[in-house]
Amino acid sequence: MAASGCRGVRSILWKYGSCGKNFCVSRSKTVPQLPVRQICVSSSLWKKNLAAAGPQKFTQEFIDKQVEEFEVGKRHLANMMGEDPETFTQEDIDRSIAYLFPSGLFEKRARPVMKHPDEIFPKQTAIQWDAEGRPFHFLFYTGRQSYYSLLHDVYEKILAIERHQDKMRNKGLFTSETKQILLTGSRWLLKEEIEEYLVENISDHDYVRLIQLMEKLLSMPYCSLEEEFILKFRKQLEAQSSKHEIPALQYDPQGVAFSVADGRRKTAKASITLRDSGSGNITINGRNYLHCFPLLQDREQLMFPLHFAGALRLAISRALLSFVSEGEVERIRQAGLLTADPRIRERKKPGQEGARKKFTWKKR
Amino acid sequence: MAAGVLTGVRQVLRGPRLVSAVFSCHGQTFSSAAAAPDTGETKILNFPLTQPDYFRLSELFTLKDLFEARVHLGHKKGCRHRLMEPYLFGSRLDTDIIDLEQTAEHLQRALNFTAHVAYRGGIILFVSRRRQFGHLIETTARECGEYAHTRYWKGGLLTNASIQYSPGVRLPDLILFFSTLNNVFQQHVGIRDAAKMNIPTVGIVDSNCNPSLITYPVPGNDDTPVAMEMYCRLFKMTINRAKDKRRQMELLKGISASV
């Protein structure tokens, strides 16, 4: 009852029901009726303890309503954009939202987004047992059913592969040169990603144990049978080489090979043509480069200190790629000559001298 | 909801010859205040109790099967537990030999009890802490439609269930221990916890185990793969038989009620 936890002003009204007279007779059969008290409590009791409530839980009906609204909204959006509602995919939605709500925010996650509710609302554990109280999952009583059932499945696959291996050995068809799974360019999912996948918390030790088990699965010769399963737990790293296209060599009427490339740094843009003549002349805006950079000592190398030169450097490196072999391309990339410098000039803020510099601080 | 679940469980285990479990939860004792039960329902529940071996479990194994599965092999003389001495036939070259006649008797009783619990829709939990057989036991439990716990046993799983799981969880009605020791050769915490929570236990006790807190001990070998496979097979067959029998009785009751 609230009486024990009540603070503040309270007024008590005692109220006995008619059960008082028949109390002794029915005591063995029914739970004795307790007196009902009317108690006035302070507001501290009905304020929700927000910290103790934990992460917000969404009911299944709420999620279903959100899904419905999403589907309806998708059709409206398709009609607005003049496209067919039936074949309106998620990419089209993203494109339309970017068009209708243009945002200058740098953080992509802060921009307006319209996605299916399953991707927005975090996955939650539903009620775990049926009407009779029997849990659905056979490992429910371990406390961590998803994690242990994952370990169980992985071990089951290991045993299946061992049985397959034995069968091949019996038939005399066993070879170590089987199709290997390509693991370069991907990494194991992190502990946080696994927790999200399992909707359960796991400790570092458990994570290490899971990765060890997956490595054991990978160490077997016939592991390619379970390739799909393993790749579910590996995340592809952003392949840097695939994004960059090397401009193709073009030939002008004299038969000289040349390539064109662009580069940008801060607000400067450079567009260059690199010719395979071999004379070594550098012409900028029609003038010799000595006239543009007369004060530099190391202008023979490509480490120009000016920002204008940064755009030139990037453009030259890009143009050079088509003339140069694969190994050299890697070396150029490793030297950092192909990374576009994303820094731009930060705006000046009111109340300050510049972007960061403040006015002189006076103590009094 | 908790009240409804608990009275349901009490009806399930209401058998005079079975362990009389008084479920006390949250400091309140629920008396058997159910309304007058349906006669068809009571007949289904009480009829199997009229015969000693209703599920004919003695057909499932013979003494020779136990011997061939090497159930009689115990540990060395130095590992012997004092309380296991009544169950030992003797020792040969320092290895203790378990008396298979007693084992057969105990196993029969244990299987019979398991069958009755499964017949009444009870939750059965398979527990073992042996890493070699963990996968086998989990697979057996899944095939029977029951539950398994062959992993690290967290502190309050039975005694603090409403916090460890969710409030209103139903605890197992029977716990089967396929090995009563944990990985440091101490008694499994689950045995003591089950005794505290009035949950009956069936346990395969080897010659180095303590059989005292277990309701239906079955003296036998828990180290050999052949023996473990045999136990798993026997328990799986018992549980499946009991469940099939229950389904049959429900169908018959349904037919006779409509007739």
Side-chain angles (χ1 to χ4, degrees):
Chain A
M1 290 266 321
S4 51
C6 184
R7 282 175 241 128
V9 174
R10 51 182 169 147
S11 62
I12 307 166
L13 302 166
W14 287 79
K15 195 175 85 170
Y16 280 103
S18 59
C19 66
K21 286 186 230 120
N22 306 329
F23 199 69
C24 306
V25 174
S26 58
R27 198 193 312 192
S28 55
K29 287 286 170 60
T30 56
V31 175
Q33 259 195 328
L34 295 167
V36 175
R37 300 177 194 178
Q38 199 86 27
I39 299 171
C40 302
V41 300
S42 67
S43 60
S44 55
L45 267 189
W46 59 69
K47 282 207 183 103
K48 279 193 292 193
N49 187 351
L50 295 168
Q56 189 185 8
K57 294 211 193 325
F58 304 103
T59 52
Q60 190 54 40
E61 26 188 80
F62 173 79
I63 304 261
D64 292 336
K65 200 158 73 76
Q66 296 296 313
V67 175
E68 235 180 85
E69 283 179 15
F70 173 78
E71 295 299 331
V72 168
K74 198 168 90 160
R75 298 187 75 89
H76 277 310
L77 190 61
N79 286 329
M80 264 194 269
M81 299 299 288
E83 299 199 25
D84 181 19
E86 304 300 328
T87 56
F88 207 56
T89 60
Q90 187 58 47
E91 283 100 41
D92 296 326
I93 296 178
D94 293 334
R95 206 169 24 85
S96 323
I97 296 287
Y99 172 73
L100 290 170
F101 301 97
S103 161
L105 297 170
F106 290 135
E107 181 63 61
K108 297 255 184 336
R109 288 178 297 180
R111 294 184 187 172
V113 79
M114 180 169 160
K115 286 201 163 10
H116 193 84
D118 282 342
E119 290 165 45
I120 298 183
F121 294 103
K123 286 194 281 189
Q124 288 158 142
T125 46
I127 198 81
Q128 310 268 9
W129 51 79
D130 60 14
E132 284 169 30
R134 288 186 75 103
F136 295 122
H137 200 281
F138 76 107
L139 290 176
F140 170 77
Y141 286 106
T142 54
R144 287 194 292 184
Q145 57 186 53
S146 327
Y147 172 71
Y148 287 132
S149 98
L150 178 60
L151 288 186
H152 179 87
D153 291 337
V154 177
Y155 192 68
E156 184 121 23
K157 289 180 194 308
I158 291 176
L159 290 181
I161 292 179
E162 276 180 4
R163 279 196 292 269
H164 179 81
Q165 237 174 278
D166 290 339
K167 258 201 295 194
M168 300 301 267
R169 248 186 261 259
N170 285 341
K171 288 191 212 167
L173 297 168
F174 178 75
T175 43
S176 314
E177 299 98 26
T178 44
K179 178 183 157 213
Q180 294 300 319
I181 304 178
L182 270 174
L183 292 174
T184 52
S186 61
R187 59 165 171 85
W188 289 118
L189 287 185
L190 295 173
K191 180 169 159 245
E192 287 73 24
E193 289 160 348
I194 299 258
E195 284 187 343
E196 202 192 294
Y197 173 78
L198 296 176
V199 198
E200 246 175 26
N201 289 333
I202 54 175
S203 73
D204 294 323
H205 173 78
D206 299 330
Y207 173 69
V208 163
R209 179 91 187 80
L210 174 66
I211 299 297
Q212 276 172 353
L213 206 58
M214 300 294 280
E215 296 280 349
K216 180 166 174 175
L217 182 59
L218 278 176
S219 68
M220 314 185 82
Y222 285 94
C223 58
S224 53
L225 295 171
E226 300 299 338
E227 182 170 350
E228 200 189 297
F229 178 75
I230 294 174
L231 288 177
K232 257 200 300 194
F233 291 93
R234 284 199 79 100
K235 187 158 178 175
Q236 294 297 326
L237 295 164
E238 290 298 311
Q240 287 138 351
S241 46
S242 55
K243 279 200 288 198
H244 201 92
E245 307 129 20
I246 303 174
L249 275 179
Q250 294 163 62
Y251 293 87
D252 68 6
Q254 275 82 41
V256 178
F258 72 99
S259 75
V260 180
D262 294 332
R264 264 193 297 188
R265 174 87 209 280
K266 283 190 189 162
T267 47
K269 290 184 202 130
S271 151
I272 71 156
T273 321
L274 193 66
R275 285 203 191 81
D276 196 18
S277 53
S279 66
N281 291 340
I282 303 179
T283 325
I284 302 177
N285 287 341
R287 301 180 293 160
N288 202 319
Y289 76 116
L290 291 166
H291 295 136
C292 283
F293 306 113
L295 300 175
L296 305 170
Q297 280 115 23
D298 54 349
R299 56 176 174 250
E300 304 302 331
Q301 304 162 37
L302 287 172
M303 306 304 286
F304 301 125
L306 294 179
H307 67 263
F308 174 38
L312 276 178
R313 184 179 108 176
L314 183 58
I316 291 170
S317 317
R318 281 190 183 157
L320 206 55
L321 287 181
S322 36
F323 285 98
V324 127
S325 68
E326 273 300 316
E328 296 288 311
V329 166
E330 242 342 279
R331 282 177 62 189
I332 293 176
R333 181 171 300 120
Q334 295 284 332
L337 290 171
L338 293 179
T339 322
D341 199 333
R343 298 176 289 179
I344 57 168
R345 192 169 143 272
E346 202 176 305
R347 68 163 269 205
K348 177 199 173 307
K349 284 108 190 172
Q352 294 175 19
E353 275 270 7
R356 296 284 170 103
K357 181 173 165 129
K358 319 278 186 283
F359 293 124
T360 316
W361 178 67
K362 291 198 170 60
K363 200 168 181 176
R364 44 186 74 83
Chain B
M1 190 229 159
V5 164
L6 277 167
T7 41
V9 164
R10 275 215 51 85
Q11 271 180 338
V12 150
L13 281 190
R14 197 176 19 121
R17 274 162 238 134
L18 296 179
V19 174
S20 57
V22 174
F23 278 82
S24 47
C25 184
H26 307 301
Q28 277 181 307
T29 324
F30 288 88
S31 52
S32 56
D38 182 26
T39 41
E41 182 74 28
T42 25
K43 237 201 296 189
I44 286 191
L45 291 178
N46 291 341
F47 182 63
L49 299 172
T50 53
Q51 291 153 34
D53 194 11
Y54 181 70
F55 300 99
R56 296 199 308 270
L57 300 165
S58 39
E59 308 167 348
L60 290 177
F61 66 97
T62 59
L63 215 65
K64 191 161 192 298
D65 292 336
L66 292 180
F67 181 81
E68 276 163 9
R70 298 180 234 164
V71 165
H72 58 289
L73 298 172
H75 289 270
K76 293 278 186 186
K77 190 172 76 178
C79 298
R80 190 194 303 170
H81 195 104
R82 205 173 71 90
L83 297 171
M84 286 299 289
E85 279 163 16
Y87 301 119
L88 297 180
F89 184 73
S91 80
R92 161 89 174 144
L93 295 171
D94 264 7
T95 311
D96 287 336
I97 307 292
I98 298 170
D99 187 359
L100 283 183
E101 286 179 357
Q102 291 190 54
T103 300
E105 214 180 283
H106 282 91
L107 189 57
Q108 169 67 28
R109 268 189 244 153
L111 289 176
N112 191 34
F113 181 69
T114 315
H116 282 279
V117 170
Y119 180 84
R120 297 159 101 80
I123 294 181
I124 302 181
L125 185 64
F126 289 56
V127 175
S128 163
R129 201 54 182 105
R130 303 220 48 153
R131 285 185 61 168
Q132 292 165 279
F133 310 120
H135 184 83
L136 169 68
I137 289 166
E138 285 182 347
T139 322
T140 317
R142 194 176 51 183
E143 283 163 9
C144 304
E146 299 295 340
Y147 309 86
H149 185 100
T150 56
R151 310 285 177 168
Y152 177 72
W153 183 278
K154 265 165 88 170
L157 285 185
L158 294 179
T159 43
N160 201 13
S162 54
I163 314 252
Q164 289 285 349
Y165 309 111
S166 300
V169 72
R170 180 177 157 185
L171 286 179
D173 300 305
L174 170 65
I175 303 188
L176 298 181
F177 285 93
F178 282 83
S179 162
T180 50
L181 297 181
N182 62 16
N183 290 340
V184 278
F185 300 106
Q186 288 166 349
Q187 198 186 44
H188 199 286
V189 176
I191 298 177
R192 188 201 66 190
D193 284 355
K196 282 188 185 178
M197 299 302 290
N198 288 332
I199 299 173
T201 42
V202 168
I204 313 280
V205 281
D206 206 347
S207 62
N208 56 351
C209 307
N210 182 356
S212 42
L213 277 179
I214 301 168
T215 337
Y216 290 90
V218 177
N221 189 4
D222 62 6
D223 300 290
T224 325
V226 199
M228 289 304 270
E229 277 165 19
M230 199 190 80
Y231 298 135
C232 285
R233 207 180 55 237
L234 286 177
F235 280 101
K236 188 166 78 158
M237 277 157 64
T238 345
I239 292 171
N240 285 335
R241 259 198 202 190
K243 288 186 171 171
D244 290 337
K245 200 74 189 191
R246 178 61 186 258
R247 272 190 284 259
Q248 259 181 29
M249 296 290 267
E250 303 254 291
L251 279 174
L252 284 173
K253 174 191 160 203
I255 293 170
S256 63
S258 62
V259 162

